[in-house]
Amino acid sequence: MLDKEGIAKRIAKEVKDGYYVNLGIGIPTLVANYIPENIDVVLQSENGLLGMGPFPFEGEEDPDTINAGKQTITKLPGSAVFDSAMSFGMIRAKKVNLTILGAMEVSENGDIANWKIPGKMVKGMGGAMDLVASAENIIVAMQHVNKAGESKLLPNCTLPLTGIKCVKKIVTELAVLDILPDGGFKLVERAPGVSVDDIKKATAGKLVVKGDVPEMAI
């Protein structure tokens, strides 16, 4: 199985030259550390930064330079800082080519729940609602099962929804999966050492397996 860094490494392979990419809170922020050096990508942080770089080394942090998750980050040469209104204007105008988000649940139809667990305190929905409503290419980075071993890839989400039929691809510690247009999780790749049966057992929603499923190359 992959750890969080492994999930981020695999998702980084989905980033293409010339993309503007928004990284959500959690595992997605790690993707910034694994962007291939031979491609030109601009990372956007919804709190108002274009040109976000990797996390700083210890002792080089700038407390005034943070991402949407309040983590200290670096700025690349040529980066731009602006207010939230400008940032969400970019998002709502579909200027972002790829959005990478974390999730608590994803349904086989591509619905996503990632902002609230009823009964638990939450500071707010953040920018996820705008991102899922505006983005045309959404990849989810998440754990396949919860701490109790229960699947988080479901026929229908049980938590309050963030967006409907918006997720295109999911990368977990077990697999890479595409959301099919007519519903269902299509198994695209297996994590190293993980079998198709392991993935079937961990997936509550409709899982579509066609032919030999290759192992991920990280």
Side-chain angles (χ1 to χ4, degrees):
M1 295 190 296
L2 301 179
D3 58 12
K4 292 180 180 180
E5 299 286 345
I7 294 173
K9 287 179 183 178
R10 175 57 187 85
I11 290 178
K13 297 180 68 174
E14 300 293 324
V15 179
K16 307 301 181 186
D17 191 53
Y19 268 16
Y20 286 82
V21 181
N22 179 282
L23 301 179
I25 296 170
I27 298 174
T29 61
L30 301 174
V31 174
N33 292 333
Y34 301 108
I35 302 295
E37 294 182 358
N38 61 333
I39 65 173
D40 183 19
V41 172
V42 179
L43 299 180
Q44 191 231 25
S45 185
E46 67 207 51
N47 56 316
L49 174 63
L50 268 183
M52 180 170 60
F55 287 114
F57 291 108
E58 187 174 354
E60 298 179 3
E61 302 92 339
D62 177 359
D64 292 326
T65 305
I66 59 173
N67 61 19
K70 310 297 188 294
Q71 297 167 304
T72 53
I73 53 173
T74 60
K75 297 193 295 283
L76 297 179
S79 62
V81 178
F82 35 84
D83 62 18
S84 292
M86 176 69 75
S87 179
F88 282 98
M90 294 174 184
I91 292 168
R92 294 171 186 174
K94 301 183 185 295
K95 302 297 185 183
V96 176
N97 303 107
L98 173 63
T99 297
I100 303 170
L101 295 173
M104 293 179 281
E105 294 178 347
V106 175
S107 80
E108 62 190 38
N109 292 320
D111 303 341
I112 181 173
N114 77 343
W115 76 281
K116 182 179 181 180
I117 297 176
K120 292 192 176 183
M121 187 181 73
V122 61
K123 294 180 180 178
M125 66 183 66
M129 300 284 186
D130 294 87
L131 288 163
V132 300
S134 304
E136 296 181 351
N137 188 7
I138 296 176
I139 297 177
V140 168
M142 65 185 294
Q143 300 294 325
H144 211 105
V145 298
N146 61 24
K147 293 180 180 179
E150 300 166 333
S151 179
K152 297 165 68 173
L153 277 61
L154 307 169
N156 296 288
C157 293
T158 63
L159 297 173
L161 292 180
T162 311
I164 296 173
K165 294 184 178 181
C166 55
V167 176
K168 303 294 190 229
K169 187 182 292 289
I170 305 163
V171 180
T172 75
E173 76 276 20
L174 301 180
V176 178
L177 308 108
D178 287 340
I179 299 291
L180 294 171
D182 57 349
F185 302 103
K186 180 183 178 181
L187 183 56
V188 178
E189 296 175 12
R190 300 174 291 111
V194 174
S195 70
V196 172
D197 283 341
D198 292 333
I199 297 164
K200 287 180 178 178
K201 293 175 184 176
T203 307
K206 177 184 176 183
L207 183 67
V208 178
V209 182
K210 295 183 178 180
D212 292 329
V213 180
E215 194 171 273
M216 289 182 208
I218 303 296

